[in-house]
Amino acid sequence: MIVPVYEDEADCASSPNPLPNSGPISWQWFTTVNRANAQVMKTLVLAHVIIPPSRDIEPSLYDSPEILSKFKVKEVLIRRFVASRMRD
């Protein structure tokens, strides 16, 4: 699941394209996704894509693949602990 994170909150407010999951993740959302994930016995991967401030990006980079070097990605792997499945 991709979770966009803006380094600059002003960019989030002024973005012409609202991104899904760009706001804070609630515990209710997280537990719902986690429970659905446990039913199919898969690992949940949260990919936090950190979007750099627009003021730090040169306009010429917008049409170039080099812009990807400005972004950062952090992965978080989540497995739900189910005691009955973890027994020896």
Side-chain angles (χ1 to χ4, degrees), residues 26-74:
S26 69
W27 279 107
Q28 181 180 7
W29 176 88
F30 183 72
T31 55
T32 301
V33 170
N34 198 23
R35 183 167 298 277
N37 183 48
Q39 296 300 318
V40 293
M41 296 172 38
K42 299 290 181 187
T43 301
L44 176 64
V45 178
L46 295 177
H48 293 271
V49 179
I50 301 169
I51 302 169
S54 59
R55 66 179 178 276
D56 293 347
I57 300 175
E58 298 172 19
S60 62
L61 286 178
Y62 284 112
D63 295 329
S64 169
E66 292 177 19
I67 195 169
L68 294 176
S69 67
K70 301 286 186 182
F71 289 76
K72 299 175 196 164
V73 177
K74 293 184 180 182

